[in-house]
Amino acid sequence: RAVFGQTTDDPLLGAVEVVAALSGAPSTVSAAGMTPDGQRILTLEQTGWVPASVRRLVIVGGLDGTAESTRAVLEALRWFKTEAPAEVQRAWSITAVPCAYPEQCVTGSTARGRAPADPPIFPPEGGFYSDETAPEPRYLWRWVAFQSPDLVLEVRSGQTLSWEISRSAIALPLDGPPPPDGTLAAAVSAGTPSGLAPVAAVRASTSVVGAPQMLRSLLDAAASVRRSPLHDAINQSVRR
């Protein structure tokens, strides 16, 4: 049973393409990697030149293994593209992985006996893209870094909105405990992710209906966020 209300043979792709087709960015459907069964880890990206004054937000859904967190990401992106104030749209470039585990997002349950680690362990160690059991976190780890984000948002399914704030994001006027060790939000905000530099990160638990307000609250809170050390590190590596 597909959970996205699409009629295509690939309901997740259909749902992502619907949001991509809305006016504005992000509008390019790509992929961060592949699952062991050959399914693409779909991304929505903004391609082309981004002004230096624009801040970059990376959103990742589905790490909790639920279809609801993927739908929440897509609803948040729909709000950003169609209802967000023009000044907010101009201030931010957003790229997203709506679903880290495509099998769960399409069916709403574990497919073929595979389930995400609980919780996924970041940073991943060894194996990487050739890992036979869990390549998804490895693809995501590299993809997130090379988006040059200034802020990372991990979206989880929840009945009410709650926040987990990494140490690098404590200046944001949001309330919540730090994300658990081993999560994406915790790992990218400390040390040298992918051999580069950290970036502020938060985890949000939200319902699908509440996802637009969640994203609006985050962007309001991060209005004065500066370019991240990770963003600077990527820029320096490109210049070499």
Side-chain angles (χ1 to χ4, degrees):
R1 182 179 65 86
V3 298
F4 292 100
Q6 301 296 317
T7 58
T8 66
D9 290 337
D10 187 338
L12 177 58
L13 175 60
V16 171
E17 288 180 334
V18 166
V19 176
L22 298 172
S23 177
S27 60
T28 298
V29 179
S30 188
M34 302 284 286
T35 71
D37 293 330
Q39 295 192 56
R40 292 187 297 164
I41 304 171
L42 295 173
T43 64
L44 259 174
E45 303 183 19
Q46 177 172 345
T47 56
W49 178 72
V50 177
S53 60
V54 172
R55 292 297 166 256
R56 303 186 182 203
L57 172 65
V58 166
I59 306 176
V60 177
L63 280 170
D64 59 355
T66 72
E68 288 74 20
S69 64
T70 294
R71 293 174 59 205
V73 170
L74 292 174
E75 282 302 308
L77 290 173
R78 188 190 305 274
W79 168 83
F80 179 78
K81 297 183 71 172
T82 63
E83 299 181 40
E87 62 270 19
V88 173
Q89 294 175 336
R90 289 192 297 266
W92 289 93
S93 169
I94 299 181
T95 57
V97 172
C99 179
Y101 291 95
E103 294 163 350
Q104 281 89 339
C105 297
V106 170
T107 65
S109 62
T110 300
R112 301 180 189 173
R114 295 187 66 249
D118 187 21
I121 300 301
F122 291 95
E125 298 180 359
F128 268 76
Y129 306 148
S130 62
D131 189 276
E132 295 181 357
T133 58
E136 295 94 338
R138 292 158 170 82
Y139 279 116
L140 286 171
W141 184 245
R142 286 293 177 88
W143 181 85
V144 167
F146 287 106
Q147 300 310 302
S148 304
D150 299 302
L151 182 62
V152 173
L153 167 63
E154 180 184 337
V155 176
R156 297 173 59 81
S157 175
Q159 293 184 344
T160 59
L161 176 60
S162 63
W163 299 100
E164 294 169 298
I165 314 299
S166 71
R167 287 171 291 180
S168 295
I170 56 174
L172 299 181
L174 299 170
D175 294 325
D181 291 343
T183 60
L184 175 64
V188 297
S189 65
T192 55
S194 294
L196 295 165
V199 57
V202 300
R203 284 210 310 181
S205 295
T206 182
S207 65
V208 176
V209 171
Q213 183 57 46
M214 176 275 297
L215 183 57
R216 179 165 194 161
S217 297
L218 177 63
L219 297 182
D220 287 347
S224 60
V225 73
R226 297 183 177 182
R227 181 181 293 177
S228 72
L230 176 55
H231 191 161
D232 283 338
I234 291 289
N235 283 352
Q236 291 171 10
S237 68
V238 169
R239 294 191 192 105
R240 290 174 187 156

